[in-house]
Amino acid sequence: MATASHSPSSPQPFKLILGSSSVARKHILEAMGLEFQVMTADIDEKSIRRENPDDLVMVLAEAKADAIISRLNIADYQKEGNQPTLLITSDIVVVHEGIIREKPTTKEEARQFLKGYSGGHVSTVGSVVVTNLTTGKRLGSLDKAEVYFHDIPDEVIENLIDEGVVFRVAGGLLLEHPLTLPFVEAVRQRHGSLEGNRKQAISRCTVCLAKHFWRYCR
């Protein structure tokens, strides 16, 4: 279980653990000015299966939280008094033509994924679970979006595959990547509002949970 610490310029009313090694999620919390420690769950995600993408991302986020908690001495966190410690875990999948797509495992699979997105659209389903380690209470939230693409040139697809980033993200899709972003036509929330990019949607979900969950669960 890897750990790391990040500190802001001002204090916050809770301690925060990010249960993910995702660079994008780290950047989101840093941009919010939050102080946090990083721990990774290191679970076998492939061993956890659900047919419904909503159920899958939620159960994976909860499994990551449970794995991290199993390695902690919870009694230490329950002695912290008025400053709770919050553990944030999350997961995301891409759904294309009704099929759940997680991280590609081969170049051919990654190529198939990306070519399928070109000129079309995919759905993304993301979960964020916040566990209050001081009280044991837990809150989860889902974020869904439709992503529309312009045609993605073959050379861009090959460059993404050669770089290797596609093998570390659900569906081989990292929207904020400088090679991918120019070909994202639009990102729409399931309720129909137009969003600038996926990162903004994740940020709002994380802000809501991390900044307010401690008030609900003390």
Side-chain angles (χ1 to χ4, degrees), residues 152 155-156 159-160 163 174-183:
I152 306 174
E155 58 267 29
V156 171
N159 286 338
L160 285 165
E163 185 176 306
L174 185 62
L175 295 188
E176 57 267 31
H177 191 285
L179 288 177
T180 307
L181 193 56
F183 302 100

Side-chain angles (χ1 to χ4, degrees), residues 50-215:
R50 296 291 188 278
E51 294 294 328
N52 185 298
D54 294 17
D55 295 339
L56 178 61
V57 296
M58 190 60 69
V59 74
L60 282 171
E62 291 175 344
K64 292 173 183 178
D66 291 340
I68 291 172
I69 290 171
S70 71
R71 301 172 186 175
L72 300 174
N73 186 351
I74 294 301
D76 291 341
Y77 296 94
Q78 294 172 341
K79 298 174 183 177
E80 294 180 352
N82 293 328
Q83 187 182 43
T85 296
L86 307 182
L87 168 64
I88 294 182
T89 51
S90 59
D91 197 75
I92 186 170
V93 295
V94 171
V95 181
H96 183 249
E97 297 180 345
I99 299 174
I100 296 175
R101 289 184 167 176
E102 297 177 82
K103 299 172 185 176
T105 56
T106 67
K107 287 187 175 182
E108 184 53 40
E109 186 176 42
R111 189 175 294 111
Q112 177 189 353
F113 284 5
L114 295 173
K115 284 181 177 290
Y117 307 153
S118 180
H121 82 282
V122 301
S123 302
T124 61
V125 182
S127 64
V128 178
V129 169
V130 180
T131 304
N132 187 322
L133 299 181
T134 305
T135 66
K137 294 183 180 180
R138 180 175 288 180
L139 179 69
S141 178
L142 290 174
D143 177 69
K144 303 180 183 182
E146 301 286 338
V147 184
Y148 296 83
F149 294 94
H150 299 293
D151 291 337
I152 306 174
D154 289 345
E155 58 267 29
V156 171
I157 291 175
E158 294 304 318
N159 286 338
L160 285 165
I161 292 171
D162 290 341
E163 185 176 306
V165 66
V166 295
F167 302 106
R168 301 191 295 271
V169 292
L173 185 60
L174 185 62
L175 295 188
E176 57 267 31
H177 191 285
L179 288 177
T180 307
L181 193 56
F183 302 100
V184 177
E185 180 180 359
V187 180
R188 297 180 185 273
Q189 294 302 104
R190 287 289 176 87
H191 298 296
S193 60
L194 180 65
E195 304 299 337
N197 57 53
R198 174 71 182 169
K199 186 175 181 179
Q200 292 175 346
I202 296 173
S203 179
R204 280 195 308 278
C205 188
T206 306
V207 168
C208 177
L209 288 169
K211 283 198 170 182
H212 300 294
F213 179 70
W214 68 278
R215 296 174 182 166

